[in-house]
């Protein structure tokens, strides 16, 4: 009997998740903050590996239509919209010619609107067009940053549609990509994202993405303050983490059920 040759493994695509880039972050976000010095060293490490940075939209097109990607792509993403983003962070990316995707929590960036995010220096929604001028693609990150997989359908729909509409109003064009706060999602959340008009959504999953990943839960790797240039180099080599797609673990499902029960008693909770 003739054996079929093994199928080649899908190309691994590192999708990095940054939050704030600052020297003295608030305590609640400190674990997910890198200093400007760390950030520039990590960007230089990405460039040195020969990876080609692309926005999430390019990876989503590959996953949904089979559109080509450049050789050895990498995706850089930024969540929430901290104050450094439209200034030194966007400038560091632009200086190196690195496109990226920024997911903005609209309620936290709109005076008087509010969100579940604890206090921190944030950009304003009016600064979103300046991000595009620096080469960043803009996506939505909900209005208030809740745990989406614990919300009632009407609440979920409002978070997805209102954040999308607010960004489209200030940018003047469609916003097609979503990031789930803290990566929390479920089959119902993914379906709601599709119906709300998003072409893709990123989760977290602490994993490498791939060219066969799921377009509505694209895997990302959170960059924490303890990560080094060596960690980034390993991810660029397609190492140091498992590769998506893969099913949710029993622990993930159990944690979701616990959080949903807690939300019934306490109302929407901050995803963080």
């Amino acid at each position: 009997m003739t054996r079929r040759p093994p199928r080649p493994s899908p190309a691994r695509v590192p999708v990095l998740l940054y939050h704030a880039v600052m020297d003295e972050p608030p305590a609640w976000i400190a674990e997910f903050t890198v200093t400007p010095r760390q950030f520039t060293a990590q960007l230089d490490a990405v460039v040195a590996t020969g990876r080609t940075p692309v926005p999430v939209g390019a990876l989503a097109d590959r996953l949904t239509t089979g559109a080509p990607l450049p050789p050895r792509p990498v995706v850089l993403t930024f969540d929430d919209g901290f104050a450094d983003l439209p200034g030194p962070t966007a400038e560091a990316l632009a200086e190196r010619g690195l496109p990226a995707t920024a997911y903005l929590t609209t309620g936290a960036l709109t005076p008087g609107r509010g969100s579940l995010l604890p206090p921190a220096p944030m950009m304003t929604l009016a600064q979103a067009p300046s991000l595009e001028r620096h080469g960043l693609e803009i996506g939505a990150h909900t209005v208030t940053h809740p745990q989406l997989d614990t919300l009632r359908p009407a609440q979920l729909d409002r978070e997805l549609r209102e954040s999308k509409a607010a960004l489209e109003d200030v940018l003047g064009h469609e916003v097609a990509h979503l990031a789930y706060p803290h990566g929390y999602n479920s089959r119902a959340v993914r379906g709601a994202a599709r119906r709300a008009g998003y072409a893709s959504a990123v989760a977290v999953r602490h994993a490498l993405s791939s060219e066969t990943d799921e377009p509505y839960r694209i895997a990302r790797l959170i960059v924490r303050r303890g990560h080094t240039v060596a960690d980034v180099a390993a991810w660029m080599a397609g190492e140091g983490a498992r590769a998506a797609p893969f099913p949710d673990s029993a622990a993930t499902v159990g944690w979701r059920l616990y959080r949903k029960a807690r939300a019934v008693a306490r109302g929407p909770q901050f995803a963080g």
Side-chain angles (χ1 to χ4, degrees):
M1 184 175 72
T2 303
R3 291 186 178 181
R4 293 181 179 179
R7 292 182 179 180
S9 299
R12 296 185 170 197
V13 182
V15 182
L16 304 190
L17 165 53
Y18 285 96
H19 289 84
V21 179
M22 60 180 73
D23 285 310
E24 297 182 2
W28 69 271
I29 196 64
E31 176 63 23
F32 305 112
T33 297
V34 298
T35 67
R37 184 174 181 177
Q38 286 177 298
F39 183 60
T40 55
Q42 290 169 4
L43 292 185
D44 289 341
V46 170
V47 172
T49 66
R51 285 270 181 180
T52 303
V54 297
V56 160
L59 177 57
D61 286 345
R62 172 65 177 180
L63 299 178
T64 56
T65 70
L69 282 170
R72 305 185 69 244
V74 60
V75 182
L76 306 175
T77 69
F78 298 81
D79 280 10
D80 300 328
F82 291 93
D84 61 273
L85 186 57
T89 297
E91 290 166 4
L93 292 165
E95 287 170 1
R96 293 163 176 79
L98 303 179
T101 301
Y103 295 102
L104 305 182
T105 307
T106 57
L109 312 186
T110 306
R113 185 64 192 266
S115 76
L116 296 171
L117 285 173
M122 307 297 290
M123 60 177 281
T124 66
L125 196 59
Q127 291 177 296
S130 73
L131 295 178
E132 291 191 326
R133 290 192 292 271
H134 280 95
L136 278 82
E137 173 184 62
I138 305 299
H141 198 38
T142 74
V143 178
T144 68
H145 207 278
Q147 299 177 16
L148 291 178
D149 57 349
T150 69
L151 299 183
R152 295 185 177 91
Q155 294 172 310
L156 171 61
D157 191 62
R158 187 162 54 248
E159 288 284 346
L160 298 179
R161 293 183 186 275
E162 290 187 5
S163 56
K164 187 176 192 294
L167 289 167
E168 290 174 346
D169 284 347
V170 74
L171 294 171
H173 60 73
E174 182 185 17
V175 169
H177 306 291
L178 170 71
Y180 306 121
H182 209 68
Y184 289 142
N185 71 95
S186 64
R187 182 177 298 177
V189 171
R190 297 191 291 274
R194 187 182 297 107
R195 292 190 298 275
Y198 292 102
S200 80
V202 292
V204 178
R205 316 209 82 189
H206 309 294
L208 293 152
S209 185
S210 75
E211 293 187 19
T212 60
D213 204 353
E214 301 170 80
Y216 286 92
R217 58 171 172 181
I218 296 170
R220 294 191 290 174
L221 295 151
I222 294 182
V223 183
R224 299 172 182 265
R225 62 180 172 182
H227 283 131
T228 66
V229 165
D231 293 316
V232 173
W235 294 334
M236 295 305 106
E239 301 170 351
R242 69 191 299 190
F246 50 82
D248 286 337
S249 67
T252 296
V253 174
W255 177 233
R256 181 183 303 134
L257 293 173
Y258 167 77
R259 291 184 293 100
K260 290 184 75 170
R262 185 177 60 183
V264 170
R266 301 181 185 178
Q269 302 290 301
F270 165 57

